[in-house]
Structures are given as structure tokens and as C-alpha cells.
Amino acid sequence: MVCLGNICRSPMAAAVLDNLARQQGADVAVSSAGTADYHVGEGPNPMSHRVWSDAGYRYDHTARQFTAAMFDEADLVLVMDESNASNVLRLARHDIDVAKVRYLRSYDPDLAHIDPSGPQRGALVVPDPWGRPRAEFEAVLAMIERSVDGLLASLAET
Ligand code: 4NP
């Protein structure tokens, strides 16, 4: 899971995937990173942490920056927005890396039909809630939960 700061969206997405995968007995190794180094070594954003904890997810997190070597550790590099996508794609070394990059929300069954390079691509964005009110973090959690459900369903089919 990749976002910008690795303190709000991607740790929340990692928390949801880690917890739901374990509940479903799916063998999924989860990690997250940010494309920026602003918050490396810090814990999660307090509001993000509160929202995912209140929803029942348990997850320890320390922020780190995305590096090209992380492509080798991942089958999927799931990004939250267009800037995350272009930042990780800039670090891609070959087509195998490029093929791992997807919008997390492309796994939401209601959004799966959207072309990530087409005119509707904005609908695939998990918006940045940093510094915004709790309701925006809750909206992000709902987007993440729908997407992670779809991701786990698609992994179960493979
Ligand atoms: P995130 O949110 O990318 O969801 O972790 C942000 C966190 C920090 C900053 C921007 C977005 N920042 O500019 O420090």
C-alpha cells in the first residue's frame, strides 16, 4: 500500500488488509510506504489510527519511504492517487515493476470497470485526508474496506 506520507491512507489500508486477510485465512503479507520521506520513522497519524482502531482493526505501523527495491518484495503495489502512481512508476526499473502498480480502488467491484488512464480515472482516487476532519478519514476507511473486500475476493479466485 502506497500513499504520499505513509501516515494516513496507506497504513489504514494495510491495517484493513492485514486484519481481513487473517480473518479470512488468506495468506497475504502486507506492508506500506510513502513516496515522500517527510514522516519516515513516525507512527501513524493520530486521527487515522483512531478511526481504524475504533473500527476494530489492530495494526502496528512505522512510516517508511517507498524505494525501487520494494517492487521486488511485492506482487502488487497499490496506490491511492495519481501522484502516488506517477511517483512509484518513476522508480520502476522494467515492465514487471510497472505491471504491479494498480489503484487500490480498482478492486472496488463498483469501480472495476473504470479505465485508470481514461477520463473517469478520478473516481479511482482515495483522497488525501491529512489535516481534514474525522469524517473524511471515515470516508477513506469506507473506500478502503470496499476495495480490500474486492481485492481479497479476486485473490480467492486465483
Ligand atoms: P498520506 O497523507 O499520504 O495519506 O499519509 C499525508 C500525510 C502527510 C503529508 C501529506 C499527506 N504531508 O505533506 O506531510
Side-chain angles (χ1 to χ4, degrees):
M1 301 294 189
V2 175
C3 63
L4 173 61
N6 193 217
I7 55 171
C8 299
R9 292 166 292 175
S10 60
M12 182 185 279
V16 172
L17 178 55
D18 184 65
N19 281 253
L20 294 185
R22 241 174 314 109
Q23 277 171 29
Q24 296 181 21
D27 183 16
V28 179
V30 184
S31 65
S32 71
T35 60
D37 66 358
Y38 313 142
H39 299 281
V40 168
E42 294 178 21
N45 171 270
M47 182 69 83
S48 187
H49 186 235
R50 200 169 310 134
V51 166
W52 89 57
S53 298
D54 288 351
Y57 302 104
R58 298 286 170 263
Y59 190 70
D60 292 327
H61 173 68
T62 303
R64 38 181 218 154
Q65 186 174 23
F66 186 81
T67 62
M70 291 179 190
F71 278 114
D72 297 326
E73 301 159 13
D75 298 307
L76 288 171
V77 175
L78 299 173
V79 300
M80 306 297 140
D81 64 29
E82 289 170 288
S83 112
N84 309 151
S86 60
N87 286 329
V88 298
L89 287 169
R90 205 172 311 121
L91 294 174
R93 300 150 303 176
H94 36 63
D95 290 351
I96 296 169
D97 292 348
V98 171
K100 292 178 178 180
V101 180
R102 306 269 177 86
Y103 285 97
L104 172 62
R105 292 190 81 189
S106 69
Y107 288 93
D108 180 332
D110 292 339
L111 304 176
H113 63 284
I114 295 177
D115 175 356
S117 51
Q120 283 187 287
R121 65 183 181 279
L124 294 174
V125 166
V126 179
D128 184 355
W130 190 57
R132 308 289 306 167
R134 179 177 174 122
E136 296 194 26
F137 285 81
E138 290 173 345
V140 163
L141 178 62
M143 293 172 197
I144 287 171
E145 287 177 323
R146 280 195 297 275
S147 305
V148 167
D149 280 344
L151 171 62
L152 286 168
S154 91
L155 294 177
E157 285 166 12
T158 58

PDB file of all heavy atoms in Angstrom, residues 112-145:
ATOM      1  N   ALA A 112     -14.520  -1.258 -10.819  1.00  0.00           N
ATOM      2  CA  ALA A 112     -13.588  -2.108 -11.571  1.00  0.00           C
ATOM      3  C   ALA A 112     -13.630  -1.847 -13.071  1.00  0.00           C
ATOM      4  O   ALA A 112     -12.670  -2.125 -13.785  1.00  0.00           O
ATOM      5  CB  ALA A 112     -13.877  -3.582 -11.281  1.00  0.00           C
ATOM      6  N   HIS A 113     -14.745  -1.270 -13.554  1.00  0.00           N
ATOM      7  CA  HIS A 113     -14.885  -1.036 -14.997  1.00  0.00           C
ATOM      8  C   HIS A 113     -14.139   0.218 -15.454  1.00  0.00           C
ATOM      9  O   HIS A 113     -14.042   0.469 -16.654  1.00  0.00           O
ATOM     10  CB  HIS A 113     -16.374  -0.887 -15.351  1.00  0.00           C
ATOM     11  CG  HIS A 113     -17.012   0.310 -14.694  1.00  0.00           C
ATOM     12  ND1 HIS A 113     -17.359   0.317 -13.350  1.00  0.00           N
ATOM     13  CD2 HIS A 113     -17.311   1.537 -15.175  1.00  0.00           C
ATOM     14  CE1 HIS A 113     -17.872   1.509 -13.051  1.00  0.00           C
ATOM     15  NE2 HIS A 113     -17.850   2.261 -14.144  1.00  0.00           N
ATOM     16  N   ILE A 114     -13.636   1.016 -14.504  1.00  0.00           N
ATOM     17  CA  ILE A 114     -13.041   2.307 -14.882  1.00  0.00           C
ATOM     18  C   ILE A 114     -11.611   2.121 -15.390  1.00  0.00           C
ATOM     19  O   ILE A 114     -10.783   1.475 -14.749  1.00  0.00           O
ATOM     20  CB  ILE A 114     -13.083   3.281 -13.687  1.00  0.00           C
ATOM     21  CG1 ILE A 114     -14.550   3.596 -13.354  1.00  0.00           C
ATOM     22  CG2 ILE A 114     -12.294   4.554 -13.980  1.00  0.00           C
ATOM     23  CD1 ILE A 114     -14.738   4.486 -12.165  1.00  0.00           C
ATOM     24  N   ASP A 115     -11.355   2.719 -16.546  1.00  0.00           N
ATOM     25  CA  ASP A 115     -10.016   2.680 -17.153  1.00  0.00           C
ATOM     26  C   ASP A 115      -9.115   3.653 -16.388  1.00  0.00           C
ATOM     27  O   ASP A 115      -9.397   4.856 -16.357  1.00  0.00           O
ATOM     28  CB  ASP A 115     -10.149   3.096 -18.626  1.00  0.00           C
ATOM     29  CG  ASP A 115      -8.805   3.216 -19.328  1.00  0.00           C
ATOM     30  OD1 ASP A 115      -7.752   3.057 -18.673  1.00  0.00           O
ATOM     31  OD2 ASP A 115      -8.824   3.486 -20.543  1.00  0.00           O
ATOM     32  N   PRO A 116      -8.022   3.151 -15.749  1.00  0.00           N
ATOM     33  CA  PRO A 116      -7.173   4.030 -14.937  1.00  0.00           C
ATOM     34  C   PRO A 116      -6.456   5.112 -15.732  1.00  0.00           C
ATOM     35  O   PRO A 116      -5.933   6.065 -15.149  1.00  0.00           O
ATOM     36  CB  PRO A 116      -6.163   3.084 -14.277  1.00  0.00           C
ATOM     37  CG  PRO A 116      -6.263   1.812 -15.017  1.00  0.00           C
ATOM     38  CD  PRO A 116      -7.589   1.751 -15.714  1.00  0.00           C
ATOM     39  N   SER A 117      -6.446   4.998 -17.058  1.00  0.00           N
ATOM     40  CA  SER A 117      -5.860   6.094 -17.835  1.00  0.00           C
ATOM     41  C   SER A 117      -6.921   6.849 -18.630  1.00  0.00           C
ATOM     42  O   SER A 117      -6.592   7.723 -19.439  1.00  0.00           O
ATOM     43  CB  SER A 117      -4.754   5.562 -18.759  1.00  0.00           C
ATOM     44  OG  SER A 117      -5.237   4.487 -19.503  1.00  0.00           O
ATOM     45  N   GLY A 118      -8.182   6.554 -18.377  1.00  0.00           N
ATOM     46  CA  GLY A 118      -9.271   7.207 -19.098  1.00  0.00           C
ATOM     47  C   GLY A 118      -9.823   8.416 -18.359  1.00  0.00           C
ATOM     48  O   GLY A 118      -9.342   8.762 -17.269  1.00  0.00           O
ATOM     49  N   PRO A 119     -10.833   9.046 -18.924  1.00  0.00           N
ATOM     50  CA  PRO A 119     -11.359  10.299 -18.369  1.00  0.00           C
ATOM     51  C   PRO A 119     -12.027  10.156 -16.993  1.00  0.00           C
ATOM     52  O   PRO A 119     -12.143  11.140 -16.269  1.00  0.00           O
ATOM     53  CB  PRO A 119     -12.373  10.762 -19.422  1.00  0.00           C
ATOM     54  CG  PRO A 119     -12.689   9.559 -20.237  1.00  0.00           C
ATOM     55  CD  PRO A 119     -11.489   8.667 -20.186  1.00  0.00           C
ATOM     56  N   GLN A 120     -12.453   8.940 -16.639  1.00  0.00           N
ATOM     57  CA  GLN A 120     -13.116   8.733 -15.341  1.00  0.00           C
ATOM     58  C   GLN A 120     -12.143   8.371 -14.226  1.00  0.00           C
ATOM     59  O   GLN A 120     -12.559   8.032 -13.116  1.00  0.00           O
ATOM     60  CB  GLN A 120     -14.133   7.592 -15.461  1.00  0.00           C
ATOM     61  CG  GLN A 120     -15.438   7.944 -16.145  1.00  0.00           C
ATOM     62  CD  GLN A 120     -16.387   6.768 -16.022  1.00  0.00           C
ATOM     63  OE1 GLN A 120     -16.210   5.755 -16.688  1.00  0.00           O
ATOM     64  NE2 GLN A 120     -17.372   6.883 -15.151  1.00  0.00           N
ATOM     65  N   ARG A 121     -10.840   8.431 -14.495  1.00  0.00           N
ATOM     66  CA  ARG A 121      -9.857   7.889 -13.545  1.00  0.00           C
ATOM     67  C   ARG A 121      -9.902   8.552 -12.173  1.00  0.00           C
ATOM     68  O   ARG A 121      -9.511   7.939 -11.180  1.00  0.00           O
ATOM     69  CB  ARG A 121      -8.448   7.938 -14.115  1.00  0.00           C
ATOM     70  CG  ARG A 121      -7.923   9.342 -14.356  1.00  0.00           C
ATOM     71  CD  ARG A 121      -6.533   9.282 -14.989  1.00  0.00           C
ATOM     72  NE  ARG A 121      -5.983  10.593 -15.213  1.00  0.00           N
ATOM     73  CZ  ARG A 121      -6.294  11.360 -16.269  1.00  0.00           C
ATOM     74  NH1 ARG A 121      -7.129  10.947 -17.186  1.00  0.00           N
ATOM     75  NH2 ARG A 121      -5.748  12.560 -16.395  1.00  0.00           N
ATOM     76  N   GLY A 122     -10.408   9.787 -12.093  1.00  0.00           N
ATOM     77  CA  GLY A 122     -10.509  10.475 -10.807  1.00  0.00           C
ATOM     78  C   GLY A 122     -11.360   9.710  -9.800  1.00  0.00           C
ATOM     79  O   GLY A 122     -11.167   9.832  -8.584  1.00  0.00           O
ATOM     80  N   ALA A 123     -12.286   8.889 -10.294  1.00  0.00           N
ATOM     81  CA  ALA A 123     -13.147   8.098  -9.403  1.00  0.00           C
ATOM     82  C   ALA A 123     -12.368   6.995  -8.688  1.00  0.00           C
ATOM     83  O   ALA A 123     -12.865   6.406  -7.731  1.00  0.00           O
ATOM     84  CB  ALA A 123     -14.294   7.488 -10.203  1.00  0.00           C
ATOM     85  N   LEU A 124     -11.130   6.724  -9.135  1.00  0.00           N
ATOM     86  CA  LEU A 124     -10.321   5.663  -8.520  1.00  0.00           C
ATOM     87  C   LEU A 124      -9.436   6.185  -7.385  1.00  0.00           C
ATOM     88  O   LEU A 124      -8.698   5.425  -6.772  1.00  0.00           O
ATOM     89  CB  LEU A 124      -9.432   4.994  -9.584  1.00  0.00           C
ATOM     90  CG  LEU A 124     -10.182   4.220 -10.666  1.00  0.00           C
ATOM     91  CD1 LEU A 124      -9.199   3.728 -11.731  1.00  0.00           C
ATOM     92  CD2 LEU A 124     -10.940   3.047 -10.064  1.00  0.00           C
ATOM     93  N   VAL A 125      -9.532   7.489  -7.114  1.00  0.00           N
ATOM     94  CA  VAL A 125      -8.652   8.118  -6.121  1.00  0.00           C
ATOM     95  C   VAL A 125      -9.183   7.926  -4.699  1.00  0.00           C
ATOM     96  O   VAL A 125     -10.378   8.099  -4.443  1.00  0.00           O
ATOM     97  CB  VAL A 125      -8.503   9.621  -6.448  1.00  0.00           C
ATOM     98  CG1 VAL A 125      -7.902  10.394  -5.286  1.00  0.00           C
ATOM     99  CG2 VAL A 125      -7.672   9.803  -7.716  1.00  0.00           C
ATOM    100  N   VAL A 126      -8.273   7.567  -3.775  1.00  0.00           N
ATOM    101  CA  VAL A 126      -8.549   7.684  -2.333  1.00  0.00           C
ATOM    102  C   VAL A 126      -7.998   9.052  -1.925  1.00  0.00           C
ATOM    103  O   VAL A 126      -6.776   9.254  -1.911  1.00  0.00           O
ATOM    104  CB  VAL A 126      -7.853   6.575  -1.513  1.00  0.00           C
ATOM    105  CG1 VAL A 126      -8.152   6.758  -0.025  1.00  0.00           C
ATOM    106  CG2 VAL A 126      -8.269   5.189  -1.990  1.00  0.00           C
ATOM    107  N   PRO A 127      -8.868  10.022  -1.618  1.00  0.00           N
ATOM    108  CA  PRO A 127      -8.386  11.393  -1.406  1.00  0.00           C
ATOM    109  C   PRO A 127      -7.576  11.534  -0.119  1.00  0.00           C
ATOM    110  O   PRO A 127      -7.828  10.836   0.861  1.00  0.00           O
ATOM    111  CB  PRO A 127      -9.682  12.207  -1.348  1.00  0.00           C
ATOM    112  CG  PRO A 127     -10.757  11.235  -1.006  1.00  0.00           C
ATOM    113  CD  PRO A 127     -10.325   9.887  -1.504  1.00  0.00           C
ATOM    114  N   ASP A 128      -6.637  12.459  -0.162  1.00  0.00           N
ATOM    115  CA  ASP A 128      -5.751  12.694   0.979  1.00  0.00           C
ATOM    116  C   ASP A 128      -6.526  13.355   2.116  1.00  0.00           C
ATOM    117  O   ASP A 128      -7.014  14.479   1.953  1.00  0.00           O
ATOM    118  CB  ASP A 128      -4.616  13.605   0.491  1.00  0.00           C
ATOM    119  CG  ASP A 128      -3.578  13.847   1.554  1.00  0.00           C
ATOM    120  OD1 ASP A 128      -3.768  13.402   2.693  1.00  0.00           O
ATOM    121  OD2 ASP A 128      -2.565  14.499   1.228  1.00  0.00           O
ATOM    122  N   PRO A 129      -6.638  12.700   3.287  1.00  0.00           N
ATOM    123  CA  PRO A 129      -7.412  13.286   4.397  1.00  0.00           C
ATOM    124  C   PRO A 129      -6.552  14.056   5.395  1.00  0.00           C
ATOM    125  O   PRO A 129      -7.072  14.548   6.398  1.00  0.00           O
ATOM    126  CB  PRO A 129      -7.977  12.029   5.078  1.00  0.00           C
ATOM    127  CG  PRO A 129      -6.855  11.034   4.939  1.00  0.00           C
ATOM    128  CD  PRO A 129      -6.166  11.342   3.613  1.00  0.00           C
ATOM    129  N   TRP A 130      -5.255  14.174   5.136  1.00  0.00           N
ATOM    130  CA  TRP A 130      -4.319  14.763   6.101  1.00  0.00           C
ATOM    131  C   TRP A 130      -4.761  16.170   6.502  1.00  0.00           C
ATOM    132  O   TRP A 130      -4.979  17.026   5.632  1.00  0.00           O
ATOM    133  CB  TRP A 130      -2.922  14.803   5.487  1.00  0.00           C
ATOM    134  CG  TRP A 130      -1.834  15.163   6.442  1.00  0.00           C
ATOM    135  CD1 TRP A 130      -1.514  14.528   7.611  1.00  0.00           C
ATOM    136  CD2 TRP A 130      -0.893  16.233   6.290  1.00  0.00           C
ATOM    137  NE1 TRP A 130      -0.433  15.133   8.186  1.00  0.00           N
ATOM    138  CE2 TRP A 130      -0.029  16.186   7.407  1.00  0.00           C
ATOM    139  CE3 TRP A 130      -0.689  17.221   5.332  1.00  0.00           C
ATOM    140  CZ2 TRP A 130       1.014  17.082   7.579  1.00  0.00           C
ATOM    141  CZ3 TRP A 130       0.355  18.121   5.503  1.00  0.00           C
ATOM    142  CH2 TRP A 130       1.194  18.047   6.627  1.00  0.00           C
ATOM    143  N   GLY A 131      -4.959  16.393   7.801  1.00  0.00           N
ATOM    144  CA  GLY A 131      -5.371  17.703   8.294  1.00  0.00           C
ATOM    145  C   GLY A 131      -6.854  17.992   8.142  1.00  0.00           C
ATOM    146  O   GLY A 131      -7.315  19.085   8.452  1.00  0.00           O
ATOM    147  N   ARG A 132      -7.598  17.017   7.636  1.00  0.00           N
ATOM    148  CA  ARG A 132      -9.031  17.193   7.402  1.00  0.00           C
ATOM    149  C   ARG A 132      -9.814  16.611   8.591  1.00  0.00           C
ATOM    150  O   ARG A 132      -9.262  15.884   9.418  1.00  0.00           O
ATOM    151  CB  ARG A 132      -9.446  16.490   6.106  1.00  0.00           C
ATOM    152  CG  ARG A 132      -8.609  16.876   4.904  1.00  0.00           C
ATOM    153  CD  ARG A 132      -8.872  18.293   4.423  1.00  0.00           C
ATOM    154  NE  ARG A 132     -10.283  18.510   4.165  1.00  0.00           N
ATOM    155  CZ  ARG A 132     -10.855  19.701   3.970  1.00  0.00           C
ATOM    156  NH1 ARG A 132     -10.118  20.807   4.046  1.00  0.00           N
ATOM    157  NH2 ARG A 132     -12.129  19.800   3.716  1.00  0.00           N
ATOM    158  N   PRO A 133     -11.127  16.895   8.675  1.00  0.00           N
ATOM    159  CA  PRO A 133     -11.917  16.385   9.805  1.00  0.00           C
ATOM    160  C   PRO A 133     -12.085  14.863   9.777  1.00  0.00           C
ATOM    161  O   PRO A 133     -11.922  14.222   8.739  1.00  0.00           O
ATOM    162  CB  PRO A 133     -13.279  17.059   9.627  1.00  0.00           C
ATOM    163  CG  PRO A 133     -13.135  18.059   8.551  1.00  0.00           C
ATOM    164  CD  PRO A 133     -11.890  17.781   7.791  1.00  0.00           C
ATOM    165  N   ARG A 134     -12.470  14.347  10.941  1.00  0.00           N
ATOM    166  CA  ARG A 134     -12.618  12.906  11.117  1.00  0.00           C
ATOM    167  C   ARG A 134     -13.501  12.277  10.038  1.00  0.00           C
ATOM    168  O   ARG A 134     -13.240  11.164   9.583  1.00  0.00           O
ATOM    169  CB  ARG A 134     -13.199  12.618  12.510  1.00  0.00           C
ATOM    170  CG  ARG A 134     -13.405  11.119  12.745  1.00  0.00           C
ATOM    171  CD  ARG A 134     -13.911  10.770  14.143  1.00  0.00           C
ATOM    172  NE  ARG A 134     -14.185   9.329  14.174  1.00  0.00           N
ATOM    173  CZ  ARG A 134     -13.621   8.474  15.014  1.00  0.00           C
ATOM    174  NH1 ARG A 134     -12.772   8.882  15.928  1.00  0.00           N
ATOM    175  NH2 ARG A 134     -13.910   7.199  14.950  1.00  0.00           N
ATOM    176  N   ALA A 135     -14.563  12.979   9.648  1.00  0.00           N
ATOM    177  CA  ALA A 135     -15.496  12.403   8.663  1.00  0.00           C
ATOM    178  C   ALA A 135     -14.771  12.030   7.374  1.00  0.00           C
ATOM    179  O   ALA A 135     -15.150  11.057   6.697  1.00  0.00           O
ATOM    180  CB  ALA A 135     -16.622  13.394   8.368  1.00  0.00           C
ATOM    181  N   GLU A 136     -13.728  12.783   7.028  1.00  0.00           N
ATOM    182  CA  GLU A 136     -13.005  12.465   5.777  1.00  0.00           C
ATOM    183  C   GLU A 136     -12.157  11.214   5.943  1.00  0.00           C
ATOM    184  O   GLU A 136     -11.992  10.432   4.995  1.00  0.00           O
ATOM    185  CB  GLU A 136     -12.189  13.671   5.310  1.00  0.00           C
ATOM    186  CG  GLU A 136     -13.143  14.815   4.959  1.00  0.00           C
ATOM    187  CD  GLU A 136     -12.519  15.939   4.169  1.00  0.00           C
ATOM    188  OE1 GLU A 136     -11.529  15.726   3.453  1.00  0.00           O
ATOM    189  OE2 GLU A 136     -13.059  17.059   4.282  1.00  0.00           O
ATOM    190  N   PHE A 137     -11.624  11.010   7.148  1.00  0.00           N
ATOM    191  CA  PHE A 137     -10.908   9.754   7.425  1.00  0.00           C
ATOM    192  C   PHE A 137     -11.881   8.579   7.404  1.00  0.00           C
ATOM    193  O   PHE A 137     -11.543   7.479   6.948  1.00  0.00           O
ATOM    194  CB  PHE A 137     -10.197   9.829   8.772  1.00  0.00           C
ATOM    195  CG  PHE A 137      -8.950  10.676   8.768  1.00  0.00           C
ATOM    196  CD1 PHE A 137      -9.028  12.064   8.871  1.00  0.00           C
ATOM    197  CD2 PHE A 137      -7.696  10.100   8.648  1.00  0.00           C
ATOM    198  CE1 PHE A 137      -7.888  12.850   8.862  1.00  0.00           C
ATOM    199  CE2 PHE A 137      -6.541  10.873   8.636  1.00  0.00           C
ATOM    200  CZ  PHE A 137      -6.641  12.250   8.746  1.00  0.00           C
ATOM    201  N   GLU A 138     -13.091   8.788   7.907  1.00  0.00           N
ATOM    202  CA  GLU A 138     -14.093   7.709   7.894  1.00  0.00           C
ATOM    203  C   GLU A 138     -14.512   7.379   6.465  1.00  0.00           C
ATOM    204  O   GLU A 138     -14.724   6.214   6.122  1.00  0.00           O
ATOM    205  CB  GLU A 138     -15.290   8.103   8.766  1.00  0.00           C
ATOM    206  CG  GLU A 138     -14.916   8.097  10.239  1.00  0.00           C
ATOM    207  CD  GLU A 138     -16.006   8.631  11.158  1.00  0.00           C
ATOM    208  OE1 GLU A 138     -16.958   9.273  10.668  1.00  0.00           O
ATOM    209  OE2 GLU A 138     -15.874   8.410  12.380  1.00  0.00           O
ATOM    210  N   ALA A 139     -14.613   8.419   5.621  1.00  0.00           N
ATOM    211  CA  ALA A 139     -14.945   8.174   4.207  1.00  0.00           C
ATOM    212  C   ALA A 139     -13.821   7.382   3.535  1.00  0.00           C
ATOM    213  O   ALA A 139     -14.073   6.468   2.735  1.00  0.00           O
ATOM    214  CB  ALA A 139     -15.180   9.502   3.489  1.00  0.00           C
ATOM    215  N   VAL A 140     -12.578   7.718   3.874  1.00  0.00           N
ATOM    216  CA  VAL A 140     -11.425   6.982   3.330  1.00  0.00           C
ATOM    217  C   VAL A 140     -11.477   5.520   3.792  1.00  0.00           C
ATOM    218  O   VAL A 140     -11.252   4.599   2.998  1.00  0.00           O
ATOM    219  CB  VAL A 140     -10.098   7.677   3.757  1.00  0.00           C
ATOM    220  CG1 VAL A 140      -8.909   6.755   3.595  1.00  0.00           C
ATOM    221  CG2 VAL A 140      -9.907   8.959   2.951  1.00  0.00           C
ATOM    222  N   LEU A 141     -11.808   5.308   5.072  1.00  0.00           N
ATOM    223  CA  LEU A 141     -11.896   3.924   5.569  1.00  0.00           C
ATOM    224  C   LEU A 141     -12.947   3.135   4.786  1.00  0.00           C
ATOM    225  O   LEU A 141     -12.712   1.981   4.416  1.00  0.00           O
ATOM    226  CB  LEU A 141     -12.221   3.912   7.066  1.00  0.00           C
ATOM    227  CG  LEU A 141     -12.377   2.518   7.686  1.00  0.00           C
ATOM    228  CD1 LEU A 141     -11.086   1.712   7.597  1.00  0.00           C
ATOM    229  CD2 LEU A 141     -12.847   2.608   9.147  1.00  0.00           C
ATOM    230  N   ALA A 142     -14.089   3.760   4.520  1.00  0.00           N
ATOM    231  CA  ALA A 142     -15.151   3.052   3.776  1.00  0.00           C
ATOM    232  C   ALA A 142     -14.675   2.690   2.365  1.00  0.00           C
ATOM    233  O   ALA A 142     -14.931   1.576   1.881  1.00  0.00           O
ATOM    234  CB  ALA A 142     -16.412   3.920   3.720  1.00  0.00           C
ATOM    235  N   MET A 143     -13.959   3.601   1.705  1.00  0.00           N
ATOM    236  CA  MET A 143     -13.421   3.296   0.367  1.00  0.00           C
ATOM    237  C   MET A 143     -12.436   2.131   0.439  1.00  0.00           C
ATOM    238  O   MET A 143     -12.443   1.233  -0.411  1.00  0.00           O
ATOM    239  CB  MET A 143     -12.660   4.518  -0.189  1.00  0.00           C
ATOM    240  CG  MET A 143     -13.522   5.711  -0.485  1.00  0.00           C
ATOM    241  SD  MET A 143     -12.438   7.126  -0.891  1.00  0.00           S
ATOM    242  CE  MET A 143     -13.614   8.446  -0.678  1.00  0.00           C
ATOM    243  N   ILE A 144     -11.578   2.179   1.462  1.00  0.00           N
ATOM    244  CA  ILE A 144     -10.560   1.134   1.626  1.00  0.00           C
ATOM    245  C   ILE A 144     -11.233  -0.210   1.897  1.00  0.00           C
ATOM    246  O   ILE A 144     -10.835  -1.230   1.315  1.00  0.00           O
ATOM    247  CB  ILE A 144      -9.580   1.528   2.760  1.00  0.00           C
ATOM    248  CG1 ILE A 144      -8.666   2.670   2.283  1.00  0.00           C
ATOM    249  CG2 ILE A 144      -8.783   0.327   3.234  1.00  0.00           C
ATOM    250  CD1 ILE A 144      -7.808   3.291   3.380  1.00  0.00           C
ATOM    251  N   GLU A 145     -12.243  -0.225   2.753  1.00  0.00           N
ATOM    252  CA  GLU A 145     -12.890  -1.504   3.084  1.00  0.00           C
ATOM    253  C   GLU A 145     -13.538  -2.140   1.860  1.00  0.00           C
ATOM    254  O   GLU A 145     -13.411  -3.355   1.646  1.00  0.00           O
ATOM    255  CB  GLU A 145     -13.931  -1.288   4.200  1.00  0.00           C
ATOM    256  CG  GLU A 145     -13.275  -1.037   5.540  1.00  0.00           C
ATOM    257  CD  GLU A 145     -14.263  -0.747   6.657  1.00  0.00           C
ATOM    258  OE1 GLU A 145     -15.283  -0.070   6.404  1.00  0.00           O
ATOM    259  OE2 GLU A 145     -14.010  -1.186   7.781  1.00  0.00           O
TER     260      GLU A 145
END
